[in-house]
Amino acid sequence: MGHSDGVGASLLRKEDDRFLRGKGHYIGDISLDGTREVAFVRSPVAHARLLGIQIPESIRSSVFTAEDLTDVKPIRAVSPLPGFKASEQPPLVTDKIRHVGELIAMCVADTRAEAEDIAAQVMVDYDVLPAVVDMLDAQLSDAPRVHDAWNDNIYLEVSYDGDIESAARQAPVSVARKVRTARQVMSPIENRGFIAHWDTRLSQLVVYGASQFPHVVRTGLAEFLQIPEVQIRVISPDIGGGFGYKAIVAGEEICLCWLAMQCGHPVRWLEDRREQLTANANCREHYYDMTAFTDEKGKILAFDAKASVDTGAYSAYPFTAAIEASQVSAILPGPYDLPVYRCSTVAVASNKTPQLPYRGVARPGCCYAMELMIDAIARKIGIEPYEVRLANLVRPEQMPYDNVTDKHFDSGDYPELLRMAVAAIDLVTVRERQKRGEPDGRLIGLGISVFSEQTAHGTTADGKRRALYEQAFARLTPDGRLDIRVGIQTIGQGLETTLAQVAVECLGINISDVHVRLGDTELSPYSTGAWGSRGMVWAGGAVARACEEIARRVAGIGAALLQTDVASVEVRDGGVYGPEGSISIGDIARSYYLTPADLPGDTDPRGLETTEGYAPDRLTGIHSGSAHATVVAVDPETGSVEILDYVITEDAGTRVNPMIVDGQVYGGAAQGIGTALFEEMPYDSQGQPLASTLADYLLPGTTDIPNIRLLHMETPSPYTNFGQKGVGEGGAIGPAGAIANAINDALAPLGVEICQIPVTPRRIIEAIEEQRQ
């Protein structure tokens, strides 16, 4: 239909008015009469037998342990993948402690400070066991068992088997590398938080929680608390960042809900930053052992890999510990056409916090590993790294393309994305600058990464919980405004704006008359929520379907009021237009609700509200593509790295709101820079996390983020409503590979190559010193 405020318009976000005025409504802003605060007793050790809990009699009524939660089931997340081992995690420890920070007891008081004072009086008796800390050591036959009933520490092994040996015999070049990524901590501005109370009038548990998928939380709570879902209402208000951290059912949440059902007053827990860093938010710890076999020009003939993912002590609900490992094997080839591929990936249990899905889910690690291999191949052959990429990228004429792991690429031109990035970064000038040298002695390096982001999944191949259709409810109100309710949640993607733009595109009404409501299980259709860059593909498609159905009904009523045949009218520009006149959608709504006697007897009895479902034409995902190119300066004396230039080329298909797309890419790139240069949660040999404050766990600041130049290509997907593709995770995937390659390019004259992120000053200096020896 087309509309100036519809699909393709760079509108300011509707939700920003309240955010910029400090009127957002977060968990910490919610105040219910009689609310009491909760603090938790957490394990100080990583692995131990729980022998007992000593609670002074003076505080006994304020402290709850596993012995009290007898009617609560343990957290158990199940994957359909063959061979997967499910873990059972009691909300409060029953017999064995498996990571530092695990919940042992719950304390309640009038204030958080008083609750913490009570927690400090609880004494825990335990017998320390050897900790399983390194994911490679955990795979040894004599390693301690994280779960006693298992015969090893492996949740799952996923494999793709190709005839590597035959291909390798014909390859004149082979390159091998071992690569590690750091364990990170996703760090939204707003930590987790929950308020729970029992509504006696409705006999219903009401939970306010910063959740990316309220409906799935309700399903999980019903299972673990063993009450019907109809007795649970989950409300997710504004969320100060999600990134996957708020996409699980948390142990604290279960405990709080149980307590609310017992005590007769609201209870609240607000996570502090130390809890978030040390006990709850770990992610992205991978190890890769890879060998590429190529011809003399860098064309990969075969690729062989073994990978490990440290998934921690338990499977998070609902994603399970299988999510990263299954993704690694499947997406490691990236956008490259690999004729022969073999990869085995194991998900390893350790005495660390459970690994959660973080923005990009496995892709940042896979991209980093593969892109380092591409540059290593180029250095061995002696050609430009971008030439190796061009020799191996899937070509546009191959689209749609099914790769070696059966990933279906729907559209795109990856070679052109790469060429755009190389031209924008001005490779020739950078190489000339490198030859001249820098007056201050710093070394200049150029790095590139290219990736494909599989977005908007619709299958259950990796064990993730999903619905077949995303649904949207739409209703015209008597004053002609549009009420839209969706089960997906907004975590910064601007869905209140972009979903309204879809409605405007379908109905032509003013965007100020469209009201989008999210985050309440009582008011919206079931949804698996916000994950996997699916919002605009699935929810956008559902809103379009609902608004198209509203348009059909409006057309019927409008034609009757205009006394003409429905086939002769058109819905556009906020009205119904016929051969000899028009009527506004607002007047049609008023006629339907307020003067129904004016309407014919055969008016559609379903009225002016509807719930419609949508799924893309293919359920295997929609592929966005991107290339990142960067120039860095490395000081070989101090190890400091400065990003001098950064270019991103992005293909997100049809951009519903180009300005919001840009914001998503910029924000993701900032997180990716953190992955490349700063963020690391180290553990000691006893399983103790060593970065317990933001003074120890470094996040990139504004001075660390360069002036990123962003270029777009629009290749519409043939499988989605408007040709849109997911873009929410993409910016975070490419920086680690591009920046690490740039640093290695700078250090190449010294014979130094670093294969571990983050590439910190310490690692740079140690690598240089080791090479000098």
Side-chain angles (χ1 to χ4, degrees):
M1 176 180 293
H3 190 282
S4 60
D5 288 343
V7 172
S10 288
L11 300 182
L12 294 175
R13 300 197 320 175
K14 299 178 71 173
E15 48 268 66
D16 284 348
D17 180 70
R18 69 177 184 274
F19 293 149
L20 294 174
R21 297 175 188 273
K23 294 182 179 179
H25 203 219
Y26 303 92
I27 296 298
D29 298 317
I30 298 173
S31 178
L32 302 179
D33 288 343
T35 298
R36 304 190 78 201
E37 303 288 342
V38 165
F40 288 95
V41 177
R42 296 180 180 272
S43 168
V45 296
H47 201 195
R49 301 284 179 197
L50 179 63
L51 302 180
I53 303 172
Q54 308 301 320
I55 304 170
E57 193 59 36
S58 60
I59 60 171
R60 184 64 188 86
S61 62
S62 299
V63 180
F64 303 89
T65 68
E67 292 183 357
D68 300 300
L69 275 64
T70 55
D71 51 349
V72 177
K73 293 173 61 177
I75 300 170
R76 193 171 192 270
V78 180
S79 169
L81 294 173
F84 175 78
K85 298 190 189 81
S87 62
E88 290 197 348
Q89 179 184 8
L92 297 176
V93 172
T94 54
D95 60 346
K96 190 179 183 185
I97 295 164
R98 292 185 174 89
H99 69 86
V100 170
E102 190 167 4
L103 303 177
I104 292 177
M106 173 172 52
C107 305
V108 61
D110 290 337
T111 68
R112 173 63 180 252
E114 290 175 300
E116 291 180 352
D117 288 344
I118 291 171
Q121 298 177 60
V122 177
M123 304 301 294
V124 180
D125 297 326
Y126 50 81
D127 180 20
V128 175
L129 300 170
V132 182
V133 179
D134 182 82
M135 71 179 100
L136 301 184
D137 292 342
Q139 297 175 56
L140 301 176
S141 60
D142 60 349
R145 297 289 180 259
V146 176
H147 296 278
D148 295 345
W150 297 8
N151 59 4
D152 55 26
N153 289 316
I154 305 301
Y155 287 101
L156 177 75
E157 181 173 0
V158 180
S159 300
Y160 288 86
D161 295 318
D163 187 1
I164 293 291
E165 286 74 18
S166 296
R169 284 193 293 269
Q170 303 173 27
V173 178
S174 66
V175 175
R177 290 293 185 276
K178 295 178 180 179
V179 171
R180 271 188 183 263
T181 70
R183 177 165 282 246
Q184 289 183 247
V185 177
M186 57 270 276
S187 300
I189 292 176
E190 179 200 30
N191 290 340
R192 284 187 193 147
F194 308 102
I195 297 177
H197 74 95
W198 183 261
D199 186 322
T200 54
R201 183 178 70 87
L202 298 176
S203 189
Q204 187 178 53
L205 175 68
V206 180
V207 186
Y208 295 87
S211 173
Q212 295 178 225
F213 46 37
H215 289 273
V216 176
V217 166
R218 184 181 65 175
T219 297
L221 289 176
E223 178 181 345
F224 303 134
L225 297 171
Q226 303 186 76
I227 63 174
E229 284 199 45
V230 72
Q231 286 191 285
I232 302 175
R233 179 182 184 182
V234 177
I235 302 170
S236 186
D238 290 327
I239 295 180
F243 312 127
Y245 183 44
K246 296 167 184 173
I248 69 164
V249 177
E252 295 92 344
E253 189 173 16
I254 297 169
C255 292
L256 214 67
C257 289
W258 175 88
L259 182 58
M261 293 167 63
Q262 312 300 318
C263 68
H265 57 74
V267 288
R268 178 171 69 173
W269 171 72
L270 296 178
E271 180 183 57
D272 65 32
R273 189 60 69 177
R274 188 180 182 89
E275 288 177 301
Q276 180 259 340
L277 284 167
T278 61
N280 284 340
N282 283 198
C283 58
R284 283 186 184 163
E285 187 174 7
H286 296 186
Y287 173 83
Y288 299 84
D289 185 348
M290 302 170 289
T291 305
F293 302 92
T294 80
D295 65 15
E296 294 90 342
K297 296 182 179 180
K299 179 69 178 79
I300 297 174
L301 305 177
F303 196 92
D304 194 14
K306 291 183 178 179
S308 300
V309 179
D310 189 329
T311 51
Y314 300 103
S315 276
Y317 179 95
F319 294 101
T320 81
I323 182 173
E324 289 265 336
S326 61
Q327 290 273 59
V328 164
S329 289
I331 66 178
L332 184 58
Y336 299 110
D337 185 355
L338 306 183
V340 181
Y341 174 70
R342 181 172 68 187
C343 182
S344 173
T345 307
V346 288
V348 184
S350 69
N351 291 122
K352 299 177 184 175
T353 290
Q355 179 172 273
L356 307 183
Y358 183 29
R359 192 175 191 174
V361 186
R363 291 170 184 81
C366 288
C367 176
Y368 164 72
M370 179 59 74
E371 294 305 297
L372 253 65
M373 287 294 288
I374 295 292
D375 270 38
I377 292 167
R379 279 193 293 274
K380 184 161 188 176
I381 296 174
I383 62 176
E384 280 287 355
Y386 86 89
E387 295 179 292
V388 177
R389 290 179 172 85
L390 283 177
N392 290 285
L393 286 169
V394 176
R395 302 183 307 277
E397 61 269 22
Q398 294 176 276
M399 299 295 181
Y401 170 79
D402 293 320
N403 79 350
V404 69
T405 62
D406 293 325
K407 295 297 181 186
H408 182 79
F409 289 57
D410 51 299
S411 59
D413 189 338
Y414 294 91
E416 182 58 20
L417 284 168
L418 174 60
R419 285 189 286 264
M420 289 168 60
V422 170
I425 206 72
D426 196 354
L427 182 145
V428 173
T429 300
V430 174
R431 293 303 185 213
E432 291 173 351
R433 180 177 178 178
Q434 285 178 312
K435 291 176 183 177
R436 290 195 306 268
E438 297 296 298
D440 60 7
R442 294 193 300 175
L443 304 173
I444 301 298
L446 185 150
I448 296 170
S449 67
V450 185
F451 63 88
S452 173
E453 182 195 359
Q454 184 185 9
T455 71
H457 312 268
T459 69
T460 57
D462 64 2
K464 198 182 274 189
R465 190 185 191 90
R466 298 186 176 93
L468 179 60
Y469 294 99
E470 183 75 15
Q471 293 182 317
F473 168 86
R475 173 173 57 200
L476 274 177
T477 59
D479 59 358
R481 289 174 170 81
L482 185 66
D483 175 22
I484 292 175
R485 302 181 185 185
V486 288
I488 197 171
Q489 178 59 313
T490 181
I491 50 175
Q493 322 95 302
L495 289 178
E496 292 177 40
T497 302
T498 49
L499 294 180
Q501 287 182 252
V502 170
V504 169
E505 185 73 17
C506 296
L507 290 169
I509 61 179
N510 292 327
I511 195 164
S512 60
D513 290 335
V514 182
H515 301 270
V516 178
R517 305 187 188 192
L518 314 95
D520 190 335
T521 58
E522 202 81 349
L523 303 178
S524 60
Y526 195 98
S527 171
T528 57
W531 52 266
S533 299
R534 67 188 297 270
M536 283 317 301
V537 173
W538 287 77
V543 169
R545 291 288 185 270
C547 291
E548 288 162 359
E549 179 59 30
I550 292 290
R552 280 190 286 271
R553 299 183 194 179
V554 163
I557 296 172
L561 293 173
L562 293 171
Q563 298 183 3
T564 187
D565 185 79
V566 70
S568 66
V569 301
E570 179 184 6
V571 179
R572 59 179 172 84
D573 300 329
V576 175
Y577 290 78
E580 298 181 0
S582 65
I583 184 171
S584 71
I585 288 177
D587 286 339
I588 291 171
R590 279 184 284 274
S591 294
Y592 177 81
Y593 289 109
L594 305 179
T595 59
D598 295 341
L599 303 181
D602 60 352
T603 298
D604 193 321
R606 296 173 296 174
L608 294 179
E609 62 180 55
T610 186
T611 298
E612 301 294 332
Y614 171 82
D617 292 343
R618 283 189 67 105
L619 301 180
T620 52
I622 310 302
H623 282 258
S624 301
S626 184
H628 289 220
T630 187
V631 177
V632 305
V634 181
D635 188 330
E637 298 301 320
T638 67
S640 66
V641 176
E642 180 185 0
I643 301 175
L644 303 178
D645 195 9
Y646 205 105
V647 171
I648 299 175
T649 57
E650 179 83 32
D651 181 1
T654 302
R655 291 174 290 163
V656 174
N657 185 313
M659 185 164 57
I660 287 179
V661 169
D662 287 359
Q664 289 290 291
V665 176
Y666 289 138
Q671 286 183 302
I673 290 169
T675 299
L677 296 176
F678 300 103
E679 297 185 47
E680 182 173 17
M681 174 55 78
Y683 281 75
D684 69 12
S685 61
Q686 303 303 310
Q688 290 289 337
L690 300 180
S692 61
T693 73
L694 291 180
D696 307 305
Y697 187 85
L698 299 184
L699 295 167
T702 55
T703 58
D704 301 308
I705 309 302
N707 182 22
I708 297 171
R709 294 184 284 139
L710 179 55
L711 306 174
H712 289 284
M713 174 191 299
E714 285 200 9
T715 309
S717 172
Y719 302 137
T720 64
N721 197 260
F722 303 106
Q724 75 271 37
K725 303 175 181 179
V727 73
E729 297 172 285
I733 297 171
I739 293 170
N741 278 335
I743 293 170
N744 284 336
D745 184 55
L747 297 176
L750 304 181
V752 172
E753 180 182 351
I754 300 172
C755 294
Q756 184 171 359
I757 51 175
V759 189
T760 60
R762 176 179 59 82
R763 286 199 171 104
I764 291 173
I765 293 171
E766 288 177 351
I768 292 173
E769 288 300 318
E770 183 178 344
Q771 183 63 24
R772 286 173 178 167
Q773 295 172 5

